[in-house]
């Protein structure tokens, strides 16, 4: 698309944003909505509309090449992301649930489920591509140095001549046996065909009748083949089966991707030109206007010294560099070329007026006391070490690990289409994979990716992913690191065994992690989390398949947000089977019933499905696939060997979640709603 298209998209997004702000900030304040359902419907509508604006702005920012426009766009984009996160927080407080079902709102706005997915801005990684590449090289170097080289195995003994001859003879006999068996099978087939012809008493046809018979059979075969091809094309056109010709991307899609990549390269070039122009213009201004500006600002500061001395009887303290120097007085100017001169001049004036040494000592003492009162800083346990040395030590200890390259989109699944209907009927729906992806993007990726969003949005310091084994909890952790370019510190109990023992060792570990056995982290981890600020951009992500075995109170104290990761539903299993089979080189044909696979793989996790697909699609099986298409039985045979997710385990997880703070609040709200309905029913019966 052209620059004009993206500019038009930006203008349309601005108009939509202005309309939304007019609704949210009317001239007269709106009345507070007391009905929870109506309030949630209003919040969900705002959430989806802001999400559409966010998707458009992200596309514009990714493709517009003008540097000044991109600066403005980034501020607007961060602001919209912050508002989306605020609305998410309000929806959680309204519904008392981490998962929300907006299928009715999607229908009202005439949107598809794909339109509600929160986009992940590409600038999270693109703007730091060079730094991330250098960090990756350093990490790979350290890991290469640490990993022990695998010694070569013992040399294979040479085969004796007799053994070699025996092996060749065995292979040749097997080949001849296969040929003989094929030849005898053809002879028996011909004999059986002749016997059937004799028994049926078929008469010998003349030449014309034989030609007609052959034509009839051939035309019937040809028509059946054409009918089959037409049906396959129709099913592929309506999206019921994958298109067999679409083995790769189409030419139009490839051209569009190349155009987008070319615009990103132009962005880098234009940004470099823009920064160079800023430097040259600034230097030119300093050269022409600098001396006059310097004298004017010095004169104003002298006047300030004199006025303060006339009012208080002594000269003021010059602002420290940490506070910005005289920039407090000259907000719209550039005083850093004047500060050093004026500090010297102020010192000379003080010495000229205040000759007493005691007074100067008292001034120094008071300044030190003020500095102490300004706030106690955390003690640096490693003052004499560089960040590179700390980084290397954490890698060597196995604390800092290399994240796997996994995109959030690789966590495949579908949308819950009956969520609102089930919740209205009093049935709590199972969260879909798309809902889980949405929460990971909102709670982790958007906050870690942008420093401004981390300051604007409600602060989330820790998230716990709880669910059965194999549901993709660790995969989501790696996806967060990939999408944001974050460092991955493994603080799991198994990884900390024997490392940094004792209380001092644990304090050193926490210090090292935040600067560059569960009981060990039970006390110190919440304390360390309290020290985190929005600008630190640190997120603690925990994973557990048995959270009910831990102390609920301590766990909820360490983790602010708890996301329950259930087993996938039918729609998500269907998409997962398709994605994994294609990922590992398989071809889906009509002989492979993916719907039956999705139905029969109920009670199994994504990990079980991935393991079955990897075991089936070996290199040998891929070579045989053209002659022998895949079938569902191959996968089900291996899937049946794995242990499923039992209903008792799911019930334990649900009961445990209801003991968390949010679960207790939701359970209380449901009970109050049920009691209210029962009271209204009794009142109606009494009136009758």
């Amino acid at each position: 698309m052209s620059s004009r298209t993206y500019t038009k998209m930006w203008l349309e997004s601005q108009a939509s944003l202005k309309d939304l702000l007019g609704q949210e900030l009317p001239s007269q304040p709106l009345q507070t909505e007391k009905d929870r359902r109506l309030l949630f419907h209003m919040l969900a509508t705002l959430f989806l509309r802001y999400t559409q604006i966010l998707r458009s702005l992200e596309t514009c920012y990714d493709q517009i090449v003008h540097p000044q426009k991109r600066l403005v766009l980034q501020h607007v984009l961060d602001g919209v992301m912050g508002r989306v996160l605020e609305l998410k927080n309000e929806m959680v407080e309204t519904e008392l649930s981490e998962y929300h079902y907006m299928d009715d709102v999607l229908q009202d706005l005439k949107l598809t489920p794909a339109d509600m997915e929160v986009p992940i801005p590409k600038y999270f990684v693109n703007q730091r591509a060079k730094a991330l590449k250098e960090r990756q090289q350093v990490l790979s170097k350290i890991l290469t140095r640490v990993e022990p080289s695998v010694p070569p195995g013992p040399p294979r003994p040479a085969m004796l001549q007799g053994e070699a001859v025996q092996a060749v003879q065995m292979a040749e006999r097997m080949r001849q046996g296969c040929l003989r068996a094929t030849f005898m099978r053809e002879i028996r087939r011909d004999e059986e065909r002749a016997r059937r012809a004799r028994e049926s008493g078929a008469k010998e046809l003349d030449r014309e009748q034989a030609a007609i018979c052959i034509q009839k059979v051939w035309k019937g075969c040809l028509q059946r083949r054409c009918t089959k091809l037409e049906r396959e094309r129709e099913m592929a056109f309506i999206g019921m089966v994958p298109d067999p010709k679409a083995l790769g991307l189409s030419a139009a899609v490839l051209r569009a991707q190349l155009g987008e990549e070319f615009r990103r390269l132009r962005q880098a070039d234009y940004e470099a030109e823009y920064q160079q122009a800023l430097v040259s213009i600034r230097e030119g201004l300093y050269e022409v206007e600098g001396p006059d500006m310097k004298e004017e600002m010095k004169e104003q500061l002298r006047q300030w010294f004199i006025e303060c001395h006339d009012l208080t009887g002594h000269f003021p303290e010059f602002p420290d560099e940490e506070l910005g120097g005289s920039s407090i007085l000259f907000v719209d100017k550039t005083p850093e070329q004047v500060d050093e001169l004026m500090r010297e001049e102020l010192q000379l004036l003080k010495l000229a007026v205040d000759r007493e040494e005691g007074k100067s000592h008292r001034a120094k003492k008071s300044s030190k006391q003020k500095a102490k009162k300004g706030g106690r800083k955390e003690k640096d346990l490693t003052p004499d070490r560089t960040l590179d040395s700390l980084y290397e030590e954490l890698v060597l200890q196995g604390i800092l690990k290399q994240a796997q390259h996994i995109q959030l989109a690789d966590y495949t699944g579908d949308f819950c289409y009956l969520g609102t209907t089930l919740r209205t009927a009093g049935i709590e729906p199972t969260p879909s994979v798309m809902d889980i992806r949405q929460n990971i993007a909102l709670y982790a990726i958007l906050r870690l990716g942008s420093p401004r969003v981390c300051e604007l949005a409600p602060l989330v310091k820790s998230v716990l992913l709880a669910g059965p084994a194999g549901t993709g909890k660790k995969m989501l952790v790696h996806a967060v690191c990939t999408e944001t370019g974050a460092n991955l510190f493994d603080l799991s109990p198994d990884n900390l065994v024997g490392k940094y023992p004792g209380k001092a060792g644990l304090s050193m570990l926490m210090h090292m992690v935040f600067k560059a056995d569960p009981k060990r982290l039970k006390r110190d981890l919440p304390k360390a989390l309290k020290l985190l600020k929005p600008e630190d951009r640190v997120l603690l992500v925990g994973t557990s398949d048995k959270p009910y075995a831990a102390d609920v109170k301590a766990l909820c104290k360490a983790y602010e947000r708890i996301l329950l990761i259930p087993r996938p539903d039918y729609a998500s299993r269907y998409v997962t089977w398709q994605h994994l089979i294609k990922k590992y080189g398989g071809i889906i044909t009509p002989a492979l019933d993916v719907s039956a696979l999705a139905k029969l793989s109920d009670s199994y996790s994504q990990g079980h499905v991935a393991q079955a697909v990897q075991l089936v699609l070996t290199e040998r099986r891929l070579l045989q696939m053209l002659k022998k298409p895949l079938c569902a039985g191959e996968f089900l045979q291996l899937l049946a060997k794995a242990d499923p997710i039992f209903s008792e385990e799911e019930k334990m997880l649900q009961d445990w979640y209801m003991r968390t703070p949010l679960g207790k609040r939701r359970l209380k709200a449901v009970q109050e709603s049920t009691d209210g309905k029962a009271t209204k029913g009794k009142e109606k019966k009494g009136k009758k």
Side-chain angles (χ1 to χ4, degrees):
M1 290 190 289
S2 63
S3 300
R4 185 179 300 175
T5 305
Y6 292 113
T7 304
K8 182 181 177 182
M9 189 185 298
W10 183 15
L11 294 175
E12 291 174 354
S13 302
Q14 279 185 317
S16 302
L17 186 59
K18 186 177 180 180
D19 183 29
L20 273 180
L21 292 175
Q23 293 181 16
E24 288 199 84
L25 303 171
S27 56
Q28 295 180 355
L30 297 174
Q31 294 181 354
T32 306
E33 183 62 57
K34 296 182 180 180
D35 190 344
R36 283 181 177 270
R37 290 186 181 179
L38 293 177
L39 179 58
F40 175 75
H41 190 278
M42 181 185 70
L43 292 174
T45 304
L46 289 173
F47 179 84
L48 290 178
R49 292 186 64 184
Y50 271 110
T51 302
Q52 300 313 302
I53 296 173
L54 178 59
R55 294 173 69 89
S56 299
L57 290 176
E58 195 278 327
T59 304
C60 294
Y61 183 77
D62 182 54
Q63 292 299 307
I64 286 180
V65 297
H66 199 286
Q68 291 95 327
K69 288 182 180 179
R70 284 171 54 81
L71 287 175
V72 178
L73 254 175
Q74 185 170 359
H75 285 293
V76 180
L77 183 63
D78 291 343
V80 174
M81 279 194 286
R83 183 56 185 146
V84 168
L85 295 178
E86 288 177 351
L87 287 170
K88 167 64 178 177
N89 194 52
E90 292 177 20
M91 288 193 294
V92 171
E93 293 299 322
T94 302
E95 272 205 321
L96 301 177
S97 174
E98 296 289 359
Y99 297 104
H100 316 292
Y101 304 98
M102 307 179 235
D103 39 306
D104 56 338
V105 185
L106 284 174
Q107 189 174 359
D108 295 341
L109 297 177
K110 295 180 174 55
L111 299 174
T112 63
D115 294 328
M116 71 170 289
E117 192 142 10
V118 175
I120 299 172
K122 299 178 183 62
Y123 80 85
F124 286 175
V125 176
N126 291 345
Q127 289 185 353
R128 303 169 53 210
K130 186 177 180 181
L132 292 177
K133 187 177 180 180
E134 292 175 355
R135 191 181 73 189
Q136 186 70 20
Q137 291 175 351
V138 171
L139 184 59
S140 301
K141 241 182 234 182
I142 298 173
L143 290 175
T144 305
R145 192 168 69 248
V146 171
E147 291 176 357
S149 58
V150 180
R156 191 173 181 178
M159 185 179 291
L160 299 177
Q161 184 177 1
E163 294 177 352
V165 171
Q166 187 178 1
V168 171
Q169 289 176 347
M170 187 184 300
E172 179 62 21
R173 290 192 190 101
M174 290 173 61
R175 187 186 68 82
Q176 292 180 4
C178 292
L179 291 175
R180 190 178 298 110
T182 304
F183 180 66
M184 294 304 296
R185 185 167 57 250
E186 291 177 355
I187 293 176
R188 283 194 293 269
R189 185 182 61 190
D190 294 341
E191 290 177 351
E192 182 67 20
R193 187 180 300 165
R195 185 184 62 80
R196 288 180 181 177
R198 288 194 303 268
E199 290 177 356
S200 61
K203 297 180 181 180
E204 187 176 352
L205 302 176
D206 57 9
R207 188 171 183 179
E208 185 177 355
Q209 289 175 340
I212 292 173
C213 183
I214 292 173
Q215 287 176 357
K216 187 189 297 183
V217 173
W218 169 246
K219 287 182 179 180
C221 178
L222 190 63
Q223 187 59 42
R224 284 191 295 272
R225 187 181 298 174
C226 292
T227 305
K228 183 180 178 182
L229 288 174
E230 289 295 329
R231 178 173 175 78
E232 289 178 355
R233 288 172 187 167
E234 182 183 359
M235 297 297 284
F237 177 73
I238 62 178
M240 296 299 293
V241 295
D243 189 357
K245 294 183 180 179
L247 299 176
L249 297 175
S250 64
V253 174
L254 286 174
R255 282 197 300 270
Q257 290 183 351
L258 287 174
E260 291 177 357
E261 194 61 34
F262 179 67
R263 295 181 73 87
R264 293 191 189 102
L265 293 175
R266 288 175 62 193
Q267 285 176 2
D269 296 338
Y270 288 171
E271 182 66 27
E273 292 179 8
Y274 173 65
Q275 295 297 334
Q276 187 176 359
L278 285 179
V279 172
S280 61
I281 292 172
R282 186 180 293 111
E283 290 177 352
L285 282 174
Y286 284 164
E287 186 178 352
V288 176
E289 303 287 342
D292 295 337
M293 292 171 60
K294 188 185 298 185
E295 290 299 325
E296 182 181 355
M297 294 170 70
K298 286 169 66 176
E299 185 61 32
Q300 292 180 13
L301 286 173
R302 288 192 194 97
Q303 187 64 28
W304 175 57
F305 295 159
I306 295 170
E307 290 177 357
C308 288
H309 186 272
D310 293 341
L311 290 173
T312 61
H314 57 83
F315 288 105
E317 294 290 336
F318 202 87
D320 295 333
E321 292 183 3
E322 297 177 356
L323 299 176
S326 61
S327 60
I328 303 172
L329 307 175
F330 302 99
V331 178
D332 299 328
K333 299 183 180 180
T334 54
E336 62 271 4
Q337 49 182 306
V338 186
D339 282 1
E340 193 61 35
L341 296 174
M342 297 311 297
R343 281 195 179 92
E344 294 177 1
E345 188 169 339
L346 180 61
Q347 191 66 26
L348 293 174
L349 287 171
K350 284 185 177 181
L351 291 175
V353 176
D354 303 325
R355 296 294 182 182
E356 299 179 1
E357 293 183 359
K359 193 171 183 178
S360 61
H361 285 302
R362 285 196 300 270
K364 291 181 181 178
K365 189 175 180 181
S366 63
S367 63
K368 289 181 181 180
Q369 289 176 352
K370 287 179 182 178
K372 289 182 179 179
K373 290 180 181 179
R376 293 180 58 188
K377 294 184 179 179
E378 183 187 1
K379 185 180 178 181
D380 190 357
L381 301 179
T382 55
D384 54 343
R385 297 188 58 182
T386 62
L387 287 177
D388 292 338
S389 66
L390 296 177
Y391 191 87
E392 184 173 357
E393 180 179 342
L394 290 172
V395 174
L396 295 175
Q397 291 292 335
I399 305 296
L400 180 59
K401 294 189 174 180
Q402 188 172 9
Q404 301 175 17
H405 187 76
I406 297 174
Q407 303 288 337
L408 187 62
D410 295 337
Y411 190 69
T412 54
D414 208 347
F415 177 71
C416 183
Y417 295 93
L418 296 175
T420 305
T421 306
L422 292 173
R423 186 166 275 184
T424 305
I427 303 172
E428 186 63 24
T430 302
S432 66
V433 171
M434 189 173 176
D435 297 324
I436 297 169
R437 275 205 314 260
Q438 189 89 314
N439 277 341
I440 293 297
L442 292 170
Y443 283 142
I445 296 177
L446 294 188
R447 286 178 163 87
L448 284 179
S450 172
R452 184 168 175 78
V453 172
C454 198
E455 295 175 3
L456 292 173
L459 182 61
V460 174
K461 299 179 181 179
S462 54
V463 178
L464 175 64
L465 307 179
T471 51
K473 299 180 291 296
K474 289 185 174 62
M475 178 182 179
L476 291 171
V477 175
H478 288 281
V480 171
C481 295
T482 301
E483 298 286 4
T484 60
N487 287 309
L488 176 61
F489 297 94
D490 187 0
L491 301 180
S492 58
D494 295 338
N495 193 41
L496 295 181
V497 173
K499 301 173 183 177
Y500 299 97
K503 187 175 180 181
L506 188 58
S507 300
M508 176 64 74
L509 172 63
M510 290 290 102
H511 170 76
M512 290 174 66
V513 167
F514 287 127
K515 182 178 181 181
D517 156 289
K519 293 181 180 179
R520 298 182 65 197
L521 301 178
K522 185 175 178 181
R523 294 182 180 178
D524 292 83
L525 194 57
K527 293 179 182 177
L529 288 174
K530 289 181 180 178
L531 300 175
L532 293 180
K533 299 175 183 178
E535 57 268 19
D536 295 330
R537 292 166 62 197
V538 175
L539 179 69
L540 173 69
V541 183
T543 62
S544 174
D545 57 351
K546 295 179 182 178
Y548 42 80
D551 183 10
V552 179
K553 188 176 180 181
L555 205 62
C556 295
K557 186 178 179 182
Y559 295 100
E560 299 177 0
R561 298 290 182 182
I562 298 176
L563 300 179
L564 205 58
I565 314 292
R567 59 182 173 86
D569 54 4
Y570 169 80
S572 296
R573 292 195 302 273
Y574 187 91
V575 175
T576 302
W577 276 110
Q578 283 188 325
H579 173 74
L580 289 175
I581 290 173
K582 292 178 182 177
K583 178 182 177 182
Y584 291 104
I587 299 175
I588 298 176
T589 61
L592 179 59
D593 192 348
V594 182
S595 179
L597 279 176
K599 186 68 177 175
L600 295 175
S601 58
D602 193 10
S603 300
Y604 288 95
S605 66
Q606 297 97 320
H608 295 140
V609 174
Q611 186 178 7
V613 172
Q614 290 178 21
L615 291 174
V616 170
L617 297 179
T618 59
E619 186 177 355
R620 182 180 179 184
R621 185 65 184 90
L622 292 176
L623 294 174
Q624 299 172 349
M625 198 160 42
L626 294 177
K627 295 182 179 179
K628 183 183 176 183
L630 296 170
C631 63
E634 298 178 71
F635 298 100
L636 293 175
Q637 186 178 2
L638 292 172
L639 191 66
K641 297 180 181 179
D643 294 329
I645 300 171
F646 297 102
S647 57
E648 292 81 5
E649 183 181 0
E650 292 181 327
K651 183 70 167 55
M652 292 175 68
L653 284 169
Q654 289 288 347
D655 294 342
W656 168 82
Y657 185 76
M658 287 303 168
R659 287 185 286 151
T660 62
L662 192 62
K664 289 179 181 179
R665 291 172 61 191
R666 177 159 182 80
L667 188 62
K668 183 179 178 182
V670 170
Q671 290 176 351
E672 290 176 355
S673 177
T674 306
D675 296 342
K677 289 180 181 179
T679 305
K680 288 181 181 179
K682 290 180 181 179
E683 291 177 355
K684 288 181 179 179
K685 287 182 180 180
K687 289 179 181 179
K688 290 180 180 179

